[in-house]
Amino acid sequence: MNGMITRHRHIAHLCLHAVLTGDQYADAIEPMPGVTPHVQAVPPNAVQLDLTSALRYFDLSPYNVVQLAKIRLKALYGIDSSAGLAGNRMPAAMAADASFRAFAIRADALLPADSAYRQLSMDPGDDRARVAEAAADRARRRFGPWVIRPATLAD
């Protein structure tokens, strides 16, 4: 090598959790140059930031610079966001798709409710919903893969 230093790129893909008009979207991504000058709009509700130069400027980790951007969106516009962080734009966008706000459950191959040990609530307001999958995994490890089965709808 000729003495050049190779810097790793850090790209953040922020998904804005809001329904925005074109003007609202433009206003929301406007503070991002305060984090990094390398901003790419991804309408209608995302923005990509190249954080590579911002890391040295703020002397923060990539994660902390992403948190800074998210805090600015929340403080200035009340917009929640999720973020993916990677070495280039494609994986950063894919890491953003891994976070979710809702899920769907298929209701096929159901078994009688009386054969289920316990009916779980999947209400997002229910704290048990957050730990249901972890509990199911523990039960499967302890008692075997057949212990958690689909149930039918109650009459």
Side-chain angles (χ1 to χ4, degrees):
M1 289 191 88
N2 57 9
M4 291 180 55
I5 297 174
T6 303
R7 290 190 307 178
H8 296 286
R9 291 184 69 198
H10 297 279
I11 306 296
H13 183 98
L14 275 68
C15 291
L16 313 180
H17 300 295
V19 177
L20 305 170
T21 66
D23 290 340
Q24 290 171 324
Y25 175 74
D27 289 344
I29 67 169
E30 185 179 320
M32 294 304 106
V35 175
T36 178
H38 307 286
V39 177
Q40 181 174 341
V42 185
N45 64 345
V47 61
Q48 288 191 338
L49 311 173
D50 186 336
L51 304 177
T52 307
S53 61
L55 301 177
R56 288 190 331 190
Y57 179 78
F58 288 108
D59 193 27
L60 294 172
S61 70
Y63 172 83
N64 288 333
V65 175
V66 168
Q67 296 309 307
L68 175 66
K70 290 177 64 168
I71 287 170
R72 287 186 180 189
L73 281 171
K74 183 67 172 177
L76 294 173
Y77 300 100
I79 297 174
D80 289 316
S81 60
S82 57
L85 184 62
N88 64 52
R89 295 183 188 284
M90 178 81 69
M94 291 170 60
D97 300 337
S99 64
F100 58 91
R101 298 181 69 185
F103 60 91
I105 298 174
R106 288 180 52 158
D108 55 352
L110 298 177
L111 300 173
D114 60 356
S115 69
Y117 171 74
R118 182 173 181 186
Q119 195 82 17
L120 296 176
S121 168
M122 298 307 280
D123 179 0
D126 187 347
D127 288 341
R128 290 175 293 173
R130 295 185 186 97
V131 298
E133 190 60 36
D137 288 343
R138 285 192 304 274
R140 286 183 189 109
R141 280 193 302 271
R142 185 171 181 186
F143 300 109
W146 59 87
V147 73
I148 304 293
R149 299 177 293 189
T152 59
L153 298 174
D155 290 330

